[in-house]
Amino acid sequence: MSSCPDAATARYASHVLRLAVLEAALISLAWGTLRPAAAQDAPAFAPGMISHMQNMEQFKDVDHGLQPTPPVIPRFEVDPDPSGAVATFQPNGATFTFNNAFFQNLGTNGRTCFTCHQPQTGWTVSAASVAERFVASGGSDPIFRIVDGATCPSDDVSTPAAKQAAYKLLTEKGLIRIGLPLPAGVQFAVTAVDDPYDCNTNPVTGLTSTTTGIVSTYRRPLPATNLGFLSTIMWDGREPSLTSQANDATLGHAQAATPPSAAQLAEIVAFESGLFTAQDIDNQAGYLAAAGATGGPVALSLQLPNFFIGVNDPFGNNPTHASFTSQIFDLFQPWLASGPVGYVAARESIARGEEVFNNTVISITGVAGINDVLNVQTFSGSCGTCHDTPNVGNHSVKAPLDIGIADAGAKAPPVLDISGLPVFTLKCMAGPLAGNVYQVTDPGRATISGLCQDIGKLKGPILRGLASRAPYFHNGSAATLTDVVNFYDQRFKIGFTDQEKTDLVNFLNSL
Ligand code: HEC
Ligand code: HEC
């Protein structure tokens, strides 16, 4: 993944260091230096979340030690993944890790941002990569810390077998525990929790009444890359800025006793905002920017100047929005008829999959955030209705949506695997939805807003670098991209042919 810096690189490193310090100083000047950067926009959930994470220090880790880290993240880094290779491009040049706050131990448990955000897995972690780290370190790698790596901080980790059980959601599905306080004035009551770990049900770690205390759900780390394209931060959109996100991650995941400095926060945000990640090579189709195609992270970086909030908003919420197009991706169009060269069949399949993504008409029904907001029974859309940012695939405006991934009980999607997740029964007590009862593995945005209408709503993430970072969806319930496609086929009764499914999966694997 990296090489040792020689004398020339070391000189370059000190040059980069001086530039980074200068840049950090400029950024903090521009943002107003004297107050800690994150205090300017501290979100309402944060104090409760942080005090919960720090209270959890009453449960002691058995392992200590630092995060193994490569000396440098090169300007162009390529790593093998299950369908070829994923690559990260830093237009501003290589980053030396020893003096960059993203890679520094700013907390008390040995973790850094790099613990959960690594390039070879698209700047998150894959379940397979975590399982390998567990075996290689005997469960001592800093990702295995009970505060949120374990199913509950109160878990027994005193024997190898106990440890294996405590970290099973992390090693099997790549899930981190997210403990968030129910907000004051919450419209619903948590009337029951089926919790295999007794984490929500124990008042020391969880709920203190049906409307107070900490709700623990289990979520996939989102990729800390391609961030210039985000319209909302975190699965539930709870962070107002990357600065507040980095602050809260340090105080939470890393259990820091004091917040990072404004300069450290600026350095973290500058580093992660300078990363562009995409699949670069496909095992069957070869180089994804060959023969006129524009896959890979360099072409992706060139999309950034074209992006703005609402760039392709299907609902016209943004006054600056142009007319919506469902043609979200045009990376592989030149491969539709790629001529008599190598890789033909594989390239044509990827190009056809792009057409399936762009052109398949989907009757969108029962999606809170669309059908209720527009007040229509059926909205005739496509994948791009919800994944509208051109060549990126997240939503170009904030759009918390409930497509049913968090549903449990009778409504649980049959294709998805929600085994091992707690199931919450939520009864809506106030507002227009009063009386309704929901069974979910995650209340989603409702834990932040307290509103019944937000139950099960989450954001659609960026669809690049997918092949490197299975499993999928916020709760890791789709083990493969085939499961993702089968979920949509069933949920919206699309009726994909086997060929369309294969092509769509090949396309998603090439993003
Ligand atoms: C223990 C694992 C862990 C550590 C350590 C960690 N993160 Fe994360 N990160 C996550 C998880 C899990 C999420 C998604 C949580 C959610 O949405 O509720 C996330 C989300 C993010 C996102 C949001 C991306 C998006 O699309 O919205 C960014 C940015 C991010 N992390 C950056 C950082 C930074 C910077 C640090 C270091 C200060 C850090 N993370 C440390 C696990 C971690
Ligand atoms: C009605 C809105 C909607 C439509 C239509 C839609 N998606 Fe999604 N998509 C979402 C949301 C919301 C999520 C995140 C859900 C979650 O994790 O809870 C998501 C997640 C995904 C993910 C997982 C990404 C990850 O990082 O885990 C993939 C892949 C995906 N969608 C592909 C597609 C494809 C392909 C289509 C068309 C067949 C499609 N989507 C249609 C809203 C939609």
Side-chain angles (χ1 to χ4, degrees):
M1 190 165 74
S2 56
S3 56
C4 263
D6 58 322
T9 14
R11 273 197 304 281
Y12 181 60
S14 77
H15 175 66
V16 170
L17 167 63
R18 268 177 279 131
L19 280 181
V21 169
L22 184 67
E23 181 179 18
L26 285 175
I27 290 172
S28 46
L29 264 182
W31 289 2
T33 9
L34 295 177
R35 279 181 293 164
Q40 295 172 21
D41 55 6
F45 76 86
M49 183 279 285
I50 292 164
S51 82
H52 163 68
M53 294 298 263
Q54 305 207 331
N55 278 338
M56 294 302 102
E57 280 166 24
Q58 63 189 285
F59 301 103
K60 299 296 174 204
D61 279 306
V62 293
D63 293 300
H64 304 277
L66 298 179
Q67 175 60 49
T69 307
V72 59
I73 306 294
R75 182 164 189 263
F76 196 82
E77 165 155 347
V78 187
D79 297 287
D81 70 19
S83 87
V86 65
T88 291
F89 174 52
Q90 298 183 79
N92 299 330
T95 300
F96 291 85
T97 57
F98 72 98
N99 60 7
N100 186 292
F102 189 92
F103 302 88
Q104 273 163 9
N105 177 16
L106 303 174
T108 58
N109 59 15
R111 283 174 166 177
T112 70
C113 306
F114 188 73
T115 299
C116 300
H117 297 284
Q118 302 200 354
Q120 69 278 14
T121 43
W123 293 97
T124 163
V125 290
S126 65
S129 72
V130 180
E132 275 168 31
R133 284 161 76 176
F134 190 87
V135 172
S137 70
S140 70
D141 183 288
I143 199 168
F144 307 109
R145 293 293 174 265
I146 48 178
V147 62
D148 61 2
T151 54
C152 195
S154 56
D155 285 351
D156 174 15
V157 286
S158 62
T159 65
K163 233 193 224 182
Q164 188 119 37
Y167 293 110
K168 78 177 186 123
L169 286 181
L170 185 50
T171 55
E172 290 173 7
K173 295 188 179 181
L175 296 172
I176 294 289
R177 187 182 68 89
I178 307 291
L180 292 168
L182 283 173
V186 57
Q187 283 183 337
F188 55 88
V190 185
T191 55
V193 195
D194 180 2
D195 185 345
Y197 318 110
D198 196 25
C199 207
N200 289 281
T201 40
N202 175 354
V204 177
T205 51
L207 293 164
T208 46
S209 79
T210 58
T211 54
T212 57
I214 298 293
V215 167
S216 282
T217 61
Y218 300 86
R219 296 183 183 165
R220 295 277 297 123
L222 281 157
T225 186
N226 304 327
L227 297 176
F229 299 104
L230 289 186
S231 56
T232 187
I233 303 168
M234 313 306 264
W235 285 107
D236 50 20
R238 68 182 179 274
E239 289 288 359
S241 71
L242 291 173
T243 305
S244 68
Q245 193 284 327
N247 185 67
D248 296 344
T250 306
L251 293 168
H253 301 303
Q255 294 175 292
T258 51
S261 70
Q264 285 169 327
L265 291 171
E267 189 172 68
I268 291 172
V269 172
F271 168 72
E272 62 184 4
S273 302
L275 302 173
F276 294 89
T277 303
Q279 190 73 358
D280 198 48
I281 296 169
D282 181 81
N283 286 332
Q284 264 76 52
Y287 181 42
L288 291 165
T294 48
V298 175
L300 175 59
S301 72
L302 301 175
Q303 297 283 328
L304 188 60
N306 304 329
F307 175 76
F308 55 90
I309 297 293
V311 59
N312 188 31
D313 176 13
F315 308 120
N317 290 319
N318 189 300
T320 57
H321 108 115
S323 58
F324 171 74
T325 170
S326 72
Q327 306 299 297
I328 307 304
F329 289 94
D330 64 5
L331 308 174
F332 303 111
Q333 240 163 28
W335 286 0
L336 269 176
S338 53
V341 285
Y343 306 119
V344 175
R347 287 184 179 173
E348 288 182 356
S349 172
I350 290 170
R352 284 194 307 267
E354 184 172 78
E355 301 273 284
V356 172
F357 189 99
N358 288 339
N359 297 332
T360 301
V361 175
I362 301 179
S363 294
I364 299 172
T365 54
V367 173
I370 294 183
N371 299 92
D372 53 348
V373 172
L374 301 177
N375 196 19
V376 290
Q377 189 78 32
T378 303
F379 181 85
S380 178
S382 61
C383 299
T385 304
C386 308
H387 296 285
D388 68 302
T389 303
N391 290 324
V392 180
N394 60 322
H395 209 94
S396 70
V397 295
K398 286 182 204 294
L401 300 175
D402 177 9
I403 59 169
I405 307 297
D407 282 345
K411 286 176 73 188
V415 176
L416 302 181
D417 172 17
I418 57 165
S419 62
L421 298 176
V423 174
F424 301 85
T425 304
L426 308 179
K427 178 156 194 210
C428 184
M429 312 295 281
L433 297 170
N436 286 2
V437 176
Y438 304 80
Q439 280 203 310
V440 287
T441 58
D442 191 327
R445 187 158 172 80
T447 309
I448 301 303
S449 68
L451 300 176
C452 300
Q453 69 187 45
D454 286 340
I455 291 172
K457 284 188 185 171
L458 296 132
K459 77 164 177 178
I462 287 173
L463 302 181
R464 301 302 303 258
L466 288 166
S468 66
R469 58 177 168 91
Y472 306 99
F473 294 133
H474 72 276
N475 55 11
S477 56
T480 63
L481 289 169
T482 302
D483 289 349
V484 169
V485 169
N486 285 330
F487 161 78
Y488 282 113
D489 194 44
Q490 281 201 0
R491 169 66 180 78
F492 296 111
K493 302 187 174 63
I494 297 174
F496 282 135
T497 63
D498 286 348
Q499 186 66 55
E500 284 171 330
K501 284 186 189 174
T502 304
D503 292 343
L504 186 53
V505 168
N506 287 343
F507 165 66
L508 294 171
N509 266 320
S510 307
L511 287 174

